[in-house]
Structure formats: C-alpha cells, structure tokens
C-alpha cells in the first residue's frame, strides 16, 4: 500500500524509547524508491496522453508521492531535533553507544551544530561569552538543606568549620562542597 | 514558565527581616540593601531573607497581611464577590509558602494561616475554572484578568491559551470552508449561525465575567 | 571595561558606584544614549526575558543591554576575588550573580529555541527589515544561517537529492511559521486607549496595571514599545 513504509518510519521513531534509535537506512531507501516509482508511473502516463478519466489516478499518485516526501522529511526533521538535543545533554562529544545510531551525514550535522553553538556562545556580549548549557534551572541557593543518611563523621568545610554528619541530622551547607556527598548517597537533598 | 520560575520571580519581593548581625550596606546590582544593624528591621529581597534565615542570621518579619484577621476578611470577601478581589501581594502564595516553610517559628499562628491562605487560593481557583468555562463557551477571544496573581494566571496555562488557539483555528477553517461553499453557490441560510465567533461580541461577554 | 572602578561596598565609599562602569562604557559607544544604571539594565533584561518566554515570535534582540550586564557580572566577579568566599557579603553577591546569569542564559536559550524552530521564517523576515529593526543579533544571525545551511545539507545528502521533480514551492512549504494569533497574557504598563481586541474590531481601553488575555498579534506593537508587557 502506498505510503505505509513512510508512515512506519515515523511511527518507529516516535515509539522508540531510546534517546535516538538507529538511523533506518533501509526504510529510508524503500520510501525513496517508492517515491521514484510513483513519479515514473505518472510521467509515463502523462506522456501517453491519458484521457481525462485518468486524471484521478494521476492526482492520487501525486498525493501519495507528496505524503511520502512529507513523512520522510518529518522523520529527518525529528532526528535533527534529537541530535541537537544531544549537544545540550552531552556536550561536543557524542557518547559512543549513541554515535552508532547516527549515519555519517548526521554526525556531520551534529559536528556543525556543535561548532555553530560554541561559536555563538563565545560571541555573545561582544565576545565576552556566556555558557548556555549551564544555569539551566532557576538558582535556588548556593546552600542546600541536606539530611544525613548514614553516619559519616567529621566533615570540614572550605572555611575550616567542622561539622558532624550523624545519621538523620540535618544541615544547611554550601551546595558546591557537598554535591559529591549527595551523589554518593551519604547526604540527601531535602527541600 | 514552570512553578520554579514563578517562585524565582516572586523571590524578588521585598520583605522585612530583623538581623542578628551588623554590616555595611550591600550594593547589589538589583539595588542596595542594608545597612544591617542587629535587632533593627531592614527590607531585603525574599531570596536573601530566606537564605539569611536558614543560616540563622535573622528573623523574618511576616508581611502585615499575614495576619488571621486580615486574611479571614479577605477570604470572606473573596467568597462574597463574584469577581476576583485584589490580593495584598502580587505574589501572595509564593511569599506565604516561602516564609512559612523557611521560618514557621517567626510566623504567629502559622498553621491557621496556612489553612486560610489555602482556602483563599482554592476559592479563587474554583472561580477561575467557572469563569474560564463560561468564557470559552461564550466564544470569547479576549478577557480582562485584573487582580489575578502570576501564579494563578499560570495555573491556567497552557490549557486556557491553547484551547483558545484551537478554537480560533477551527473558526478560521470553518470560515474558509463556508466561503468555499458559498462560492459554489451551495450555501443557503445556515452559514452565519453555524460559523462560531464571526458575529459574537467576545469582549463584552468576557469583560463582565472577570472584573467589576 | 573600566578596571579602576570598584563596587562601593568593597572600597567602603558611600556611593553605590556599581553603575559607573556601565555608564562610562555606554558613553564611549554612544554619546547620545542616556546614562543608564546597572539596575536599570537588569530591569530591561528581566522584562525582555519574560516577554521573550511568553511571545510566540522572536522579539527584538537586546545585545547592548546583554553586553553591559555581562561586563557588569564579570566586573563583580573580579572584585569578589579578593573577598573570602564564605564572607557574608561574598555569598550574597554570588547569589545575586547566579540569579542574573540564570536570567541571561534562560533568555538567550529561549531565543535560540525559537531560532531553531522558525529558522527560515526568521531569516526571511529579518532580510526585509532595516538594520536597526533586525530581530536577530549579529551572532544569532550567523547561527541561524549556519543552522539553515546545515539542515539543508543534511536533508540533501540523505534524501532530497534522490527525490525526483523537486518543485520550487516545496522548500517554501517546509518553512515553519509561528502562530501570531496565539493567546498571551498581558499587563499594561501605561494607559493604552482603543486597543482592538477581537476579530470584529471591538475596542477596549487598557488601564495602567490591568491584565488581559488576548491574541498576541493584536498587541505585538504594545510589547515592542514597552506600553505593555507579557506575563
């Protein structure tokens, strides 16, 4: 049936739970072939001076062709969108497992985008620059409230103050200095 | 805008604190604050107040309106009026929540206040839902929203603007297809009554719904 | 950037001098421009940020204000280097700088997002505008051009070169356009008489401070001229 494969391309991409599924080379080729086949049929028919009665068929094929193009470009557009998101999430280097899902032109696209974005961020404010990939959330505080999940013992802050991290005790501490303890699960961030 | 952004904006409100330390004024880009004298009240932005309070460097002086009598009155007024009454602060929810969660000990009758503020908010939200329902059914595209606070406005975002966007999209399509059919000479008398919005008076309808 | 300026609280002078560095820089660039304080710059940026987040289309860029504020922030950072990090004042200044950095970053991200979505539309619109009215800053314009080219190249390599009979109109059909009639929340800064609020030309006078929900396009000029702001 005309257009099925093109629609599948899109459905599969939408259904996929991965950051970005593997580039569907085969699916893409099939859709392109269908487009070409439909086009050639129409050309052939037009050249054989079809009667008015066959216009309907001509129109039908044309609509199918347009729909195929549209699905295919939507597929590529959505992939572009996800590839751009990779730059914001992972920085200028794509992790290897994700890179495998991209085709060569996509890697090129990513690299160009990455370069453009970096150049833009450097150029902002008369070349003073600003990093847009940080400061993603409204800053709550340089300090955070934490609860101690396990007995840790003494912990010295940068200013020399020593605090005792006892299980279930609560503290208000500089975020930057306790972030690693939070990641290790010794402290829990409470709001 | 998500709730954290609303809070971020609300944190700019000035609030009075009583510091337990002394310091020269701070010249922030936002404007100067201080000088700080131990035991004397001074106005600072809310984000600074909550920080100092968490560090036990000050007591927060709850704003005047965080008072049972005043809030009870507001609550009654809100229930009585079919319109939205003016709130004592543009960010009353953000201020109340931050102050009461950071410094419950600084707020007399904190638990009771929490309840009455919640009641006020709920009353207003219910009113908001009813108004919106009527507004959309009245096919309006414009309305006055006076006295609604930022948080309340955002509680109906994105649903309200999106519904209106969708409705106007349908209207455009409907109008266009009506034109198409009339060009074919098929259109008879049904047009104007089936195409919504084209002859409605959105502003007057909606105006009366929202404000006095 | 004037390196001799010091925030007042650090050299304990009585005047809040933070704004001076900004003023001087301003004068260098343009003598006609009014003197402007850092506080004012921040206010303008905050409004621009909130307007930008809520407007369906890309608004006019604020390169000048951004440039001033970025200078101001790094100037402050410079000054703070001498203070003990845990000093009460240093902490408060850092907190404020974090807030300002967030506003600037969020603002620019929001603009980039629109540029990425409506790339070709924005480029085309800007091409027809006078230099002073361009919505894109020069950096953004460069970014938009590169992105547009990058996407076209990708589409071409992977698909469009294999598609027969590319019609001219097709590239045009692919242009994504913002819905300028989408509804926005608005607050009037000043009294604005006779604003058309509906398709049937009904007019309403906006009182200062009054709030409204209205299709964006009907009030776009009020935002531009700062007679009203989005909320």
């Amino acid at each position: 049936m005309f257009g099925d494969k093109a629609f599948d391309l899109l459905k599969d991409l939408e259904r996929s739970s991965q950051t970005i599924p593997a580039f569907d080379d085969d699916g893409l080729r099939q859709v392109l072939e269908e487009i070409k086949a439909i086009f050639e049929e129409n050309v052939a028919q037009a050249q054989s001076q079809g009667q008015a009665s066959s216009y309907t068929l001509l129109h039908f094929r044309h609509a199918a062709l347009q729909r195929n193009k549209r699905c295919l470009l939507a597929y590529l557009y959505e992939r572009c969108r996800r590839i751009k998101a990779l730059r914001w999430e992972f920085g200028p280097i794509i992790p290897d497992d994700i890179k495998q899902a991209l085709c060569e032109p996509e890697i090129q696209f990513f690299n160009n985008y990455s370069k453009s974005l970096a150049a833009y961020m450097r150029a902002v404010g008369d070349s003073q620059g600003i990093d847009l990939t940080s400061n993603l959330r409204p800053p709550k505080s340089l300090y955070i409230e934490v609860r101690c999940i396990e007995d840790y013992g003494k912990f010295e802050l940068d200013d020399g103050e020593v605090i005792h991290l006892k299980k279930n005790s609560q503290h208000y501490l500089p975020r930057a200095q306790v972030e690693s303890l939070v990641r290790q699960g010794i402290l829990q961030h409470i709001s | 805008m998500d709730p954290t952004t609303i809070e971020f904006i609300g944190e700019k409100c000035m609030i009075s604190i009583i510091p337990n330390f002394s310091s020269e004024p701070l010249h922030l880009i936002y404007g100067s604050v201080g000088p700080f004298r131990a035991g004397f009240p001074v106005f600072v932005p809310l984000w600074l107040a909550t920080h100092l309070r968490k560090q036990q460097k000050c007591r927060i002086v709850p704003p005047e309106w965080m008072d049972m009598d005043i809030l009870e009155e507001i609550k009654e007024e809100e229930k009585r009026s079919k319109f939205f009454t003016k709130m004592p602060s543009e960010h009353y929810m953000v201020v109340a929540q931050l102050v009461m969660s950071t410094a419950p000990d600084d707020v007399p009758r904190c638990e009771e206040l929490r309840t009455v503020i919640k009641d006020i908010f709920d009353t207003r939200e219910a009113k908001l839902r009813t108004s919106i329902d009527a507004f959309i059914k009245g096919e309006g595209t414009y309305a006055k929203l006076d006295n609604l606070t930022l948080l309340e406005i955002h509680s109906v975002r994105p649903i309200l603007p999106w519904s209106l966007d969708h409705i106007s999209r349908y209207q455009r399509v409907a109008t266009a297809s009506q034109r198409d059919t009339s060009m074919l000479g098929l259109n008879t008398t049904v047009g104007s009554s089936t195409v919504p919005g084209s002859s409605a008076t959105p502003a007057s309808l909606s105006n009366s719904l929202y404000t006095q | 950037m004037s390196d001799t300026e010091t925030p007042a609280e650090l050299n304990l002078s009585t005047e809040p001098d933070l704004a001076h560095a900004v003023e001087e820089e301003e004068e260098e660039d343009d003598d006609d421009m009014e003197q402007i304080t850092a506080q004012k710059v921040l206010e303008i940026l905050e409004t621009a940020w909130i307007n930008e987040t809520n407007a369906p289309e890309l608004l006019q860029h604020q390169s000048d204000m951004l440039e001033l504020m970025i200078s101001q922030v790094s100037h402050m950072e410079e000054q703070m280097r001498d203070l003990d990090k845990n000093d009460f004042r240093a902490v408060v200044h850092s907190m404020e700088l974090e807030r300002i950095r967030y506003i600037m970053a969020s603002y620019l991200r929001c603009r980039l997002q629109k540029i990425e979505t409506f790339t070709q539309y924005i480029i085309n619109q800007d091409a027809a505008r006078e230099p002073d009215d361009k919505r894109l800053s020069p950096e953004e314009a460069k970014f938009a051009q590169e992105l547009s080219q990058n996407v076209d190249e990708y589409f071409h390599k992977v698909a469009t070169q294999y598609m027969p009979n590319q019609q001219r109109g097709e590239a045009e059909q692919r242009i994504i356009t913002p819905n300028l009639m989408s509804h926005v929340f608005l607050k009037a800064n000043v009294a604005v008489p006779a604003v058309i609020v509906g398709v049937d030309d009904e007019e309403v006078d906006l009182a200062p401070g009054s709030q409204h929900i209205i299709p964006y396009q009907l009030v776009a000029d009020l935002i531009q001229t700062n007679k009203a702001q989005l909320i």
Side-chain angles (χ1 to χ4, degrees), chain C residues 98-116:
Chain C
E98 287 243 318
R99 292 176 64 86
I100 295 173
R101 270 193 292 262
Y102 168 71
I103 291 171
M104 294 195 295
S106 172
Y107 169 64
L108 291 175
R109 272 196 298 269
C110 173
R111 291 181 60 83
L112 278 191
Q113 214 164 36
K114 289 184 191 175
I115 294 170
E116 292 190 1

Tab-separated table of all heavy atoms in Angstrom, chain C residues 98-116:
chain	number	residue	atom	x	y	z
C	98	GLU	N	24.345	34.594	40.433
C	98	GLU	CA	23.722	33.364	39.926
C	98	GLU	C	22.349	33.645	39.348
C	98	GLU	O	21.970	33.107	38.310
C	98	GLU	CB	23.553	32.343	41.065
C	98	GLU	CG	24.815	31.689	41.519
C	98	GLU	CD	24.788	30.187	41.274
C	98	GLU	OE1	23.739	29.558	41.531
C	98	GLU	OE2	25.798	29.660	40.803
C	99	ARG	N	21.603	34.473	40.045
C	99	ARG	CA	20.261	34.818	39.564
C	99	ARG	C	20.341	35.546	38.221
C	99	ARG	O	19.592	35.256	37.299
C	99	ARG	CB	19.529	35.705	40.587
C	99	ARG	CG	19.166	34.997	41.875
C	99	ARG	CD	18.524	35.940	42.884
C	99	ARG	NE	17.245	36.477	42.424
C	99	ARG	CZ	16.072	35.858	42.594
C	99	ARG	NH1	16.019	34.709	43.232
C	99	ARG	NH2	14.962	36.386	42.136
C	100	ILE	N	21.284	36.474	38.119
C	100	ILE	CA	21.407	37.242	36.881
C	100	ILE	C	21.883	36.357	35.734
C	100	ILE	O	21.376	36.428	34.615
C	100	ILE	CB	22.356	38.438	37.093
C	100	ILE	CG1	21.733	39.395	38.113
C	100	ILE	CG2	22.645	39.143	35.775
C	100	ILE	CD1	22.638	40.519	38.543
C	101	ARG	N	22.857	35.496	36.049
C	101	ARG	CA	23.338	34.586	35.000
C	101	ARG	C	22.209	33.688	34.506
C	101	ARG	O	22.107	33.389	33.317
C	101	ARG	CB	24.503	33.735	35.521
C	101	ARG	CG	25.857	34.373	35.300
C	101	ARG	CD	26.959	33.363	35.542
C	101	ARG	NE	27.011	33.000	36.952
C	101	ARG	CZ	27.854	33.537	37.822
C	101	ARG	NH1	28.737	34.417	37.417
C	101	ARG	NH2	27.820	33.181	39.077
C	102	TYR	N	21.374	33.254	35.430
C	102	TYR	CA	20.256	32.408	35.031
C	102	TYR	C	19.322	33.165	34.080
C	102	TYR	O	18.921	32.638	33.047
C	102	TYR	CB	19.469	31.912	36.249
C	102	TYR	CG	18.163	31.284	35.847
C	102	TYR	CD1	18.158	30.043	35.202
C	102	TYR	CD2	16.945	31.936	36.033
C	102	TYR	CE1	16.972	29.470	34.769
C	102	TYR	CE2	15.756	31.377	35.605
C	102	TYR	CZ	15.781	30.144	34.975
C	102	TYR	OH	14.603	29.597	34.536
C	103	ILE	N	19.004	34.401	34.433
C	103	ILE	CA	18.102	35.188	33.590
C	103	ILE	C	18.681	35.338	32.179
C	103	ILE	O	18.003	35.118	31.179
C	103	ILE	CB	17.843	36.579	34.211
C	103	ILE	CG1	17.021	36.429	35.484
C	103	ILE	CG2	17.138	37.505	33.217
C	103	ILE	CD1	16.889	37.708	36.298
C	104	MET	N	19.967	35.678	32.114
C	104	MET	CA	20.588	35.890	30.806
C	104	MET	C	20.619	34.590	29.995
C	104	MET	O	20.292	34.570	28.810
C	104	MET	CB	22.002	36.451	30.962
C	104	MET	CG	22.022	37.863	31.558
C	104	MET	SD	23.617	38.695	31.356
C	104	MET	CE	24.690	37.670	32.362
C	105	ALA	N	21.008	33.493	30.667
C	105	ALA	CA	21.122	32.222	29.954
C	105	ALA	C	19.747	31.741	29.501
C	105	ALA	O	19.574	31.301	28.365
C	105	ALA	CB	21.793	31.174	30.840
C	106	SER	N	18.779	31.857	30.394
C	106	SER	CA	17.437	31.400	30.065
C	106	SER	C	16.873	32.221	28.907
C	106	SER	O	16.229	31.694	27.995
C	106	SER	CB	16.552	31.527	31.308
C	106	SER	OG	15.215	31.277	30.993
C	107	TYR	N	17.146	33.509	28.934
C	107	TYR	CA	16.695	34.418	27.878
C	107	TYR	C	17.288	34.026	26.521
C	107	TYR	O	16.571	33.861	25.530
C	107	TYR	CB	17.094	35.842	28.265
C	107	TYR	CG	16.930	36.881	27.180
C	107	TYR	CD1	15.681	37.188	26.674
C	107	TYR	CD2	18.035	37.558	26.681
C	107	TYR	CE1	15.530	38.147	25.684
C	107	TYR	CE2	17.896	38.523	25.701
C	107	TYR	CZ	16.649	38.813	25.200
C	107	TYR	OH	16.503	39.756	24.210
C	108	LEU	N	18.581	33.827	26.496
C	108	LEU	CA	19.231	33.503	25.227
C	108	LEU	C	18.847	32.109	24.736
C	108	LEU	O	18.692	31.880	23.531
C	108	LEU	CB	20.755	33.618	25.366
C	108	LEU	CG	21.261	35.050	25.550
C	108	LEU	CD1	22.761	35.060	25.803
C	108	LEU	CD2	20.931	35.901	24.325
C	109	ARG	N	18.682	31.173	25.680
C	109	ARG	CA	18.243	29.827	25.285
C	109	ARG	C	16.863	29.885	24.640
C	109	ARG	O	16.604	29.213	23.647
C	109	ARG	CB	18.170	28.915	26.518
C	109	ARG	CG	19.461	28.204	26.853
C	109	ARG	CD	19.204	27.049	27.802
C	109	ARG	NE	18.657	27.498	29.069
C	109	ARG	CZ	19.394	27.819	30.126
C	109	ARG	NH1	20.707	27.722	30.066
C	109	ARG	NH2	18.831	28.216	31.235
C	110	CYS	N	16.001	30.685	25.242
C	110	CYS	CA	14.650	30.811	24.711
C	110	CYS	C	14.696	31.352	23.284
C	110	CYS	O	13.981	30.892	22.399
C	110	CYS	CB	13.849	31.731	25.623
C	110	CYS	SG	12.241	32.149	25.009
C	111	ARG	N	15.557	32.319	23.047
C	111	ARG	CA	15.690	32.876	21.700
C	111	ARG	C	16.243	31.828	20.734
C	111	ARG	O	15.764	31.681	19.624
C	111	ARG	CB	16.587	34.112	21.723
C	111	ARG	CG	15.959	35.298	22.441
C	111	ARG	CD	16.848	36.526	22.443
C	111	ARG	NE	17.182	37.012	21.116
C	111	ARG	CZ	16.395	37.813	20.393
C	111	ARG	NH1	15.266	38.222	20.885
C	111	ARG	NH2	16.771	38.214	19.186
C	112	LEU	N	17.259	31.085	21.175
C	112	LEU	CA	17.827	30.062	20.300
C	112	LEU	C	16.768	29.035	19.921
C	112	LEU	O	16.713	28.565	18.789
C	112	LEU	CB	18.993	29.343	20.996
C	112	LEU	CG	20.350	30.021	20.961
C	112	LEU	CD1	21.421	29.049	21.440
C	112	LEU	CD2	20.700	30.497	19.553
C	113	GLN	N	15.943	28.688	20.897
C	113	GLN	CA	14.903	27.706	20.636
C	113	GLN	C	13.966	28.190	19.520
C	113	GLN	O	13.625	27.440	18.620
C	113	GLN	CB	14.103	27.498	21.914
C	113	GLN	CG	13.605	26.102	22.080
C	113	GLN	CD	13.185	25.876	23.519
C	113	GLN	OE1	12.654	26.781	24.174
C	113	GLN	NE2	13.412	24.687	24.021
C	114	LYS	N	13.599	29.456	19.585
C	114	LYS	CA	12.742	29.997	18.537
C	114	LYS	C	13.490	30.029	17.210
C	114	LYS	O	12.931	29.722	16.167
C	114	LYS	CB	12.283	31.415	18.898
C	114	LYS	CG	11.282	31.448	20.032
C	114	LYS	CD	10.812	32.865	20.273
C	114	LYS	CE	10.018	32.938	21.571
C	114	LYS	NZ	9.641	34.316	21.905
C	115	ILE	N	14.756	30.421	17.268
C	115	ILE	CA	15.544	30.476	16.041
C	115	ILE	C	15.631	29.085	15.414
C	115	ILE	O	15.514	28.918	14.207
C	115	ILE	CB	16.953	31.048	16.325
C	115	ILE	CG1	16.838	32.515	16.746
C	115	ILE	CG2	17.857	30.904	15.106
C	115	ILE	CD1	18.133	33.122	17.272
C	116	GLU	N	15.793	28.068	16.254
C	116	GLU	CA	15.906	26.709	15.724
C	116	GLU	C	14.579	26.227	15.146
C	116	GLU	O	14.559	25.499	14.161
C	116	GLU	CB	16.411	25.759	16.812
C	116	GLU	CG	17.849	26.054	17.194
C	116	GLU	CD	18.463	24.986	18.089
C	116	GLU	OE1	17.783	23.998	18.395
C	116	GLU	OE2	19.626	25.166	18.489
